[in-house]
Structure formats: structure tokens, C-alpha cells
Amino acid sequence: MNERQSPARRVASHARHTHPLQSALDLFAPPRPVRRARSAAFAVLFCAFALYIAWHASQETATRPVDELPLAAAHGEGPASAAGAAVAAVNARPDIVQRGEYLTRVGDCAACHTADPARPFAGGLPISTPFGRIYTPNITPDTDTGIGQWSDADFMRAMHEGIRKGGERLYPAFPYVEFTRVSGQDVQAIRAYLKTLAPIHATPPANELHFPFNQRWLMQLWNLFNFEEGRFVPDPQKSAEYNRGAYLVRGLAHCEECHTPRNLTQGLKKSERFSGATQAGWQAYNITPDRAGGIGGWSDDALASYLTTGVATGHANAAGPMAAVVQNSTQYLTPEDLRSIGVFLRAQPAVAGGVTRSRDSFGQPANDDITTLRGTRITAVDGVQLFVANCASCHNWTGAGVGASAPGAYPSLIHNSVAGAASAGNLAMVILHGVTRRTRDADVLMPGFGSQLSNDQIAAIANYVTKTFGNPQAAITADQVAALRAQPQ
Ligand code: HEC
Ligand code: HEC
Ligand code: HEC
């Protein structure tokens, strides 16, 4: 494509001289209206694709659990090494590097840039799209295969403009749409931290993208519609906390990549920011301050607890991509930053989305289902029976859970956002894939039932759970479970 001249250039070159080869090429070129129609179709196709990648990227990668190990392992501070020595090593590092490590966690860089936990930041994690796969690059300081040869300016340009060393455009699977808002100082700190990593020699597999989607220069077109280059500018009318929250949520922490719905061209819908979106089968819920549709009923402490531990008792537990975000990123945030995130989110326009009762307000303990089971014949697909057989050992047959709010408790399904949501999608995803989340407080594990239970059975359990402990309006069919099962995680 790039060697083909534009019609304007072609006319110009005709006027000057007509090289025999040029006239031959022109003979083979399709007539102009056809060319125009083709390029229009091509542009539309391309936009759909590029936006699709952006949309999928954070989902795909964030669902892969990567615990805090990579950062420690990168410095040879494995669990085996003496804690004292590790602390001393950390303290000996200059401030900028320590700040860079913190910011690297806020940006969740390790989650996407680590395929093998033993090779942190060495890239190679596949990001699947219907057009093929993108593999994340090695961002360790290795000079052959990593970014060891990059200047600080190259790094800055990648983060702020989505352009890699050498001038090639990066795909928006790399969240430069948000990273462009990060201050130059913070990008430098991240860079300083990445420079201290052990270089790892590793070349990720080549992207498996088909023509025309392998044409990086086409990202210019995508950027035209969906990318506003520029640093975050604080709003002087607002508090310092608000501005810090805005900087984190809309910048480095890229919360909107998952929580904001997208328009027809797959750009973020500015008018419905944070009102919820579905990706890779999971619903990243509405987190606007609407009391019914969003999280307006949560206290600041509840939000901070959710982002630190993955549990907001009486509201929600973090599963799927959000469990990964908590594990890799938000659990490390300082109390001040967590508070700022709350202040900023609370100040966003509330979006109800047609919801009249909050997700976390549903349910009461079951009181007689278990007795009605006595003497009944066990059939294959019965929600109560399947629940008692598969779930009650941990969540209790009453649905009230075991261990209340202790870290690692088996949570109550009553006043749980997944059971009370208007759609039972995340509930089915939780049953299919379970919950894995490692934080400083607890190693949380709910087994997935995807390999043991059929779509019929999962739908029956989900429908029993929503009817009994959650939102009775929410129902799911076996076909819908099958569609969710097919989503790559
Ligand atoms: C949601 C996943 C994701 C996150 C989070 C992420 N990246 Fe990336 N990054 C990618 C992908 C995918 C690419 C490659 C895009 C391409 O091939 O065009 C990439 C490319 C890059 C590049 C260009 C490397 C090269 O060789 O061209 C740099 C530098 C980079 N990322 C740094 C970071 C840093 C620093 C962070 C954290 C602040 C980060 N990334 C967070 C997915 C991610
Ligand atoms: C990779 C995608 C992704 C990113 C990035 C992400 N989230 Fe989430 N978030 C989700 C998903 C999916 C859920 C639903 C989790 C579940 O069902 O357990 C969720 C749930 C939540 C909830 C609970 C809502 C409820 O009612 O259950 C809050 C609060 C939240 N996210 C806040 C944030 C904040 C703040 C950020 C940025 C720091 C963020 N999220 C970044 C995907 C994401
Ligand atoms: C071995 C114990 C165990 C079994 C069996 C089990 N769970 Fe769980 N469940 C857990 C744990 C642990 C969590 C996560 C707790 C946390 O987030 O801290 C959880 C979380 C949940 C959640 C909340 C997820 C969210 O994102 O808010 C739901 C809903 C749920 N389980 C439903 C079920 C259903 C339905 C079954 C049966 C098919 C089941 N569980 C079986 C232990 C179990």
C-alpha cells in the first residue's frame, strides 16, 4: 500500500514526465471512483479493527494473573532472599526509581508485558483479536531484544504519542490513549525504574496479523478519531484530591479502558464515561456515583477496601479482570491515592442506565430450599440441587457464606453485586472460571466449574442464585452461557 502513489501525486508526475513504468502502473490501477470507494471501505474496516483491538487489549491481558512477583523477581528479591537484605536494597535505590516502581504498578505494565512470571517485563503475552494476535514487546533494558537501545526521548514518545523507536505506530492495545496524560516527570520515573531491571534476552513471537491489519501506519487514521495527544491539565476549580484522582483514573491507571462504553467507531463515549462496558465476556460495571446504577451507595472506605483487598463487604467482590487489576495494581496504591480515586469518581456525572435498584441491595438468606430437597429424586439440571451440591459447601445453603468479612472468607451471595446485577453474565463467568486473586491480605481461590458443569447446569445454578439471593429479573440461558464460555480469557 505505502508504495502506491496518491492520485494527486500521480497527476503531478504525469504533468512532469511520463515514465513508461508509471503509465504501465496507471493502466493497471482501478478507475478513480472504484479506488475512492475502495479506500473508504478500507478506512471503515480498518477503524473497526483498530478500535476492536483497543477494546480488547486490557481485558485480554489483565485477566491473566500475574502477582507481585515480577517486580520483586526482577531485582532478584525472590521470596527466598532475606527480607532484610531486600528492604536494604530497596532503600538504597534513589527516590526516582522507587517512585518509578510505584508508578509502574499503577500503570499495570507487568500484567501485559509478562508472559512467564519468571521473566518479568520480557513480553511475549499474546493478545487475541479476531484478526490475529499481538504479542507484547520486551521492555527490559536488554539491548538486542528489549528497549536497552532506546533513549529517554524514544520512551517518552512511545508513552505520549504511541510511536515506537524508529517511528512505527503502536497499536492501541498499548493504552497510550490514557498514558498520553501522564506527566513527563512520571514517565521519566517509570523509565528510570525499568532501567534497573535485569535485562532479559527474549524476542516475542512475531504478531500474527493479516493484511491490511499488519499495516502500522494505518494507526494514524485510528488516532485521528480516537486519540487526543496531551498531558493532564489540572482543573484549578477543583481540589488537589480531585485532580490527583483524575490524573490516576484517566491516566496511568486507565480505568476507563474497561469501564467506559464505546461508540460506533469504538471510541470512548465521553457522555457516558464510567457507566459500564462489556469485554471478553465480563461486565466492567457502572462505577459512576449513581445510587442505583453505579456505586453511589459505597462509602470511600468501601471503595478503598475493594481496590486494596478485592472485597467491599455488603457490596462486591472482585473477580475476572478486576481481580487482576487489584492483584497487580491497585492493592499497592497509597491510602491518599485511593482516596483521590474515590473523590474523583464521586464527582463524575451519575448515570443510572435505566437501573432503579442497586446491584448490592438484593437478596435474603434462603430458609427452606434445603428441606424441600429431602427425599426428592436427583435430576441432572435442577438449580437448587446443583447449588447445594457444588456451591453450598463454601457459600452455605442459605447463601450467607462462611467467615463473613474475614480475609479469605467465603462471601455471602446476598448483597453481592454479581448476584444482584441486571444481567447474570458475570455470575455465569464466575461459575465458569472461578475467582483467583492474590493480595497481601489473602490468597483467594474459588474453583472454576467450567470443565465439570454443562452450560445447562451453569445456567440453572445462575438462575437459582439470582432468583434466591440476587436480582430475580436476571436470567441466563444455556446458549448465553455457551457464548460466554467461548470468550478467550
Ligand atoms: C493493556 C496492556 C498493556 C499495558 C497495561 C501496558 N502495555 Fe506496553 N504495550 C502493550 C502492547 C500490546 C504493546 C505493543 C503494541 C504494538 O505492537 O504496536 C506495548 C508496547 C509498549 C512499548 C513499545 C515497545 C516496543 O518495542 O515497541 C513500550 C515502551 C511499553 N509498551 C511500555 C509500557 C509501560 C511502561 C507500561 C506501564 C506504564 C505499559 N507498557 C503498559 C500492552 C500494554
Ligand atoms: C481490565 C479491565 C478493568 C480495569 C482496567 C478496571 N476495571 Fe474495575 N472492573 C472490571 C470488571 C470486569 C469488574 C467486575 C468484576 C466482578 O464482576 O467481580 C470491575 C468492577 C469494579 C468495581 C466494582 C463494581 C461493582 O459494583 O461490583 C469497582 C468499584 C471498580 N471496578 C473500579 C475500578 C477502578 C477505580 C479502576 C481503575 C483503577 C478499574 N476498576 C479498572 C474491569 C476493569
Ligand atoms: C471452595 C469454595 C467455593 C465453592 C465450592 C464455590 N465458591 Fe464461590 N467463592 C468462593 C470464594 C473464595 C470467592 C471469592 C471471595 C473473595 O472475593 O474474597 C467466591 C466468590 C463467589 C461469588 C462472588 C463473585 C464476585 O465477583 O462478586 C459468587 C457469585 C460465587 N462465588 C458463586 C458461587 C457459585 C454459584 C458456586 C457453585 C457453582 C460457588 N461459588 C462455589 C469460594 C467458593
Side-chain angles (χ1 to χ4, degrees):
M1 283 305 288
N2 7 13
E3 62 261 29
R4 208 189 257 177
Q5 289 182 323
S6 72
R9 287 266 322 267
R10 202 172 281 153
V11 169
S13 72
H14 267 290
R16 271 184 278 117
H17 61 259
T18 315
H19 190 278
L21 182 63
Q22 183 61 54
S23 359
L25 282 176
D26 279 354
L27 264 179
F28 287 105
R32 203 169 289 171
V34 174
R35 285 204 301 265
R36 222 177 279 141
R38 257 193 213 165
S39 38
F42 184 65
V44 168
L45 193 70
F46 167 74
C47 285
F49 152 74
L51 290 156
Y52 189 83
I53 291 182
W55 180 50
H56 258 251
S58 41
Q59 283 304 306
E60 291 301 323
T61 51
T63 51
R64 284 170 177 80
V66 179
D67 63 11
E68 73 271 32
L69 190 69
L71 297 200
H75 296 283
E77 300 161 10
S81 69
V87 169
V90 168
N91 288 343
R93 288 187 290 149
D95 282 357
I96 185 173
V97 173
Q98 283 185 48
R99 208 159 54 82
E101 176 172 21
Y102 179 75
L103 296 166
T104 300
R105 282 187 160 138
V106 176
D108 215 358
C109 321
C112 288
H113 286 280
T114 306
D116 169 4
R119 288 145 73 87
F121 299 97
L125 189 78
I127 296 179
S128 325
T129 79
F131 308 96
R133 282 179 172 169
I134 297 182
Y135 291 87
T136 52
N138 179 347
I139 56 168
T140 71
D142 187 64
T143 45
D144 295 333
T145 59
I147 55 170
Q149 306 242 18
W150 287 38
S151 68
D152 291 352
D154 292 334
F155 185 77
M156 189 79 78
R157 193 166 183 222
M159 293 285 285
H160 283 162
E161 296 172 46
I163 297 174
R164 62 159 45 143
K165 182 179 167 68
E168 276 184 323
R169 299 273 160 175
L170 289 160
Y171 293 107
F174 168 50
Y176 63 85
V177 171
E178 281 81 25
F179 291 169
T180 191
R181 302 193 178 106
V182 180
S183 73
Q185 217 184 7
D186 281 356
V187 172
Q188 288 300 6
I190 292 172
R191 168 76 175 157
Y193 169 70
L194 292 177
K195 275 185 184 165
T196 68
L197 299 176
I200 297 174
H201 191 88
T203 305
N207 290 343
E208 299 154 16
L209 293 169
H210 310 298
F211 183 85
F213 307 115
N214 54 4
Q215 299 297 298
R216 287 183 174 275
W217 61 271
L218 287 170
M219 286 305 131
Q220 287 179 53
L221 195 57
W222 187 85
N223 286 351
L224 213 59
F225 294 109
N226 301 295
F227 177 52
E228 251 173 71
E229 207 255 309
R231 255 45 70 213
F232 173 74
V233 181
D235 179 347
Q237 310 287 317
K238 300 275 168 56
S239 69
E241 270 184 325
Y242 171 98
N243 281 312
R244 176 67 181 166
Y247 178 72
L248 293 169
V249 168
R250 301 210 45 222
L252 205 47
H254 60 276
C255 312
E256 63 184 11
E257 277 284 310
C258 294
H259 283 280
T260 297
R262 301 194 178 251
N263 60 29
L264 266 186
T265 68
Q266 293 296 310
L268 295 172
K269 267 193 192 172
K270 290 184 184 143
S271 58
E272 293 173 35
R273 199 163 265 146
F274 306 117
S275 67
T278 307
Q279 291 145 8
W282 291 89
Q283 287 192 311
Y285 292 127
N286 178 340
I287 55 169
T288 71
D290 191 79
R291 292 189 79 84
I295 56 169
W298 293 34
S299 68
D300 288 347
D301 285 349
L303 180 63
S305 160
Y306 184 86
L307 295 174
T308 319
T309 66
V311 181
T313 307
H315 300 291
N317 297 72
M322 194 62 205
V325 168
V326 170
Q327 173 172 312
N328 300 318
S329 177
T330 55
Q331 67 156 319
Y332 297 103
L333 297 191
T334 62
E336 296 74 34
D337 278 350
L338 289 169
R339 236 190 94 74
S340 301
I341 288 177
V343 167
F344 173 72
L345 286 177
R346 208 172 276 292
Q348 296 310 293
V351 180
V355 175
T356 52
R357 189 173 160 185
S358 73
R359 293 184 288 280
D360 54 13
S361 66
F362 285 91
Q364 65 215 4
N367 48 31
D368 58 358
D369 286 344
I370 199 145
T371 47
T372 61
L373 277 180
R374 278 193 200 122
T376 53
R377 222 175 42 129
I378 301 294
T379 59
V381 190
D382 177 288
V384 195
Q385 290 172 357
L386 286 165
F387 181 83
V388 170
N390 294 288
C391 321
S393 58
C394 293
H395 294 287
N396 202 334
W397 67 269
T398 60
V402 176
S405 57
Y410 299 132
S412 174
L413 303 180
I414 299 148
H415 298 292
N416 171 279
S417 64
V418 158
S423 145
N426 281 12
L427 175 57
M429 289 300 267
V430 166
I431 301 173
L432 280 166
H433 301 291
V435 182
T436 323
R437 199 181 61 237
R438 226 176 302 160
T439 61
R440 282 169 292 191
D441 304 278
D443 254 6
V444 169
L445 177 73
M446 164 174 157
F449 290 84
S451 56
Q452 287 132 49
L453 298 177
S454 68
N455 298 331
D456 277 344
Q457 292 173 314
I458 290 175
I461 298 178
N463 290 332
Y464 171 74
V465 168
T466 54
K467 179 170 69 75
T468 318
F469 311 117
N471 185 342
Q473 310 283 317
I476 194 163
T477 65
D479 284 349
Q480 288 167 327
V481 175
L484 290 176
R485 191 193 279 275
Q487 293 281 338
Q489 290 298 299

